[in-house]
Amino acid sequence: MPLGFNLEAGSSGDILPIIKWDAKAGDLLRQDRFQASDGTWQKDEQELSLPIQMAMDLGAIEVGWLSFASGAPDFQMAKITEPFPEQPSQDHKQAFRVRVATKDLGLREFSHSAKTVLRALDGLFRQYEAEAPAHMGKVPVVTISGTETIKINSPQGELRFKVPEWSITEWIDRPKVMDGGAAAPSEPAPAAVSQPPAAAEPTGANLF
């Protein structure tokens, strides 16, 4: 596997707003933190409609281990060019972390530790490795077109999970936001409003 994951059954970085993938429901969610009127910090989650495109900094992806045993995410990661780190504890699961960005989402972090999603990411990274030499200095635009259902047999019976159906559909100049530009605003996103379909499919050229 090019990302170094062991997919057989059986570093903290900057704090950024995140997007999440629900591997059971097959939902892509944006999560924003905001300060309520009483001064407490709250989280707001909203589903992102598919298909969706985003610039994904696969050249700087991190791999390693993730645990939520303490109640907060504990990342122990390394760059893809560095040796895969040792597992810190039995509570830590293999994981990846990568930065993504669009004009509407700003700069965000996307991570996961489910093996079904790691396998899907591994396939996406193979495409990146094959195409990157012809696109030096650029970053890939990843299109998530839908979901794929994965069935796994377990002692409890058949389990079903959903992974993103994604691929690199374009390469663009590296967005400034990926090198320290403004991140997403720390406030809830406006509620989604139904609109008629767009006249044309979005392209990487209008992501920023």
Side-chain angles (χ1 to χ4, degrees):
M1 297 292 181
L3 290 174
F5 294 124
N6 175 6
L7 297 177
E8 296 300 320
S11 85
S12 62
D14 297 330
I15 297 176
L16 291 173
I18 66 172
I19 60 171
K20 301 167 56 177
W21 180 264
D22 186 329
K24 291 186 177 180
D27 294 333
L28 182 66
L29 306 169
R30 64 177 288 169
Q31 184 183 97
D32 297 287
R33 294 179 71 248
F34 66 98
Q35 195 166 20
S37 58
D38 62 359
T40 61
W41 285 93
Q42 307 290 333
K43 292 180 181 179
D44 176 76
E45 289 188 355
Q46 293 192 23
E47 184 177 351
L48 296 171
S49 299
L50 304 181
I52 190 171
Q53 290 185 317
M54 60 189 71
M56 187 176 289
D57 198 3
L58 288 170
I61 192 171
E62 295 177 305
V63 294
W65 304 92
L66 171 60
S67 171
F68 287 94
S70 67
D74 176 23
F75 288 97
Q76 301 295 325
M77 313 297 281
K79 298 292 186 183
I80 190 61
T81 54
E82 300 171 345
F84 202 94
E86 295 291 330
Q87 184 178 15
S89 74
Q90 291 300 313
D91 293 320
H92 284 77
K93 298 180 179 180
Q94 291 180 113
F96 70 85
R97 180 170 61 182
V98 66
R99 290 185 171 190
V100 301
T102 71
K103 177 174 60 179
D104 294 331
L105 292 174
L107 181 64
R108 290 177 181 261
E109 189 175 278
F110 176 43
S111 63
H112 221 289
S113 60
K115 287 187 177 181
T116 52
V117 179
L118 298 188
R119 288 190 180 95
L121 188 280
D122 201 68
L124 183 68
F125 193 78
R126 287 180 186 274
Q127 183 186 0
Y128 168 81
E129 285 189 310
E131 297 182 10
H135 300 280
M136 299 298 292
K138 295 183 179 293
V139 296
V141 173
V142 173
T143 298
I144 305 178
S145 57
T147 64
E148 177 186 359
T149 299
I150 304 296
K151 300 177 183 179
I152 298 177
N153 292 321
S154 75
Q156 293 75 36
E158 184 181 83
L159 303 177
R160 295 191 176 203
F161 301 93
K162 292 184 178 181
V163 300
E165 283 190 332
W166 51 15
S167 63
I168 296 170
T169 52
E170 196 172 346
W171 292 77
I172 60 173
D173 292 335
R174 185 175 182 83
K176 292 181 180 180
V177 69
M178 283 189 164
D179 295 314
S186 297
E187 59 184 25
V193 178
S194 297
Q195 296 181 348
E201 289 293 323
T203 65
N206 58 26
L207 282 178
F208 297 94

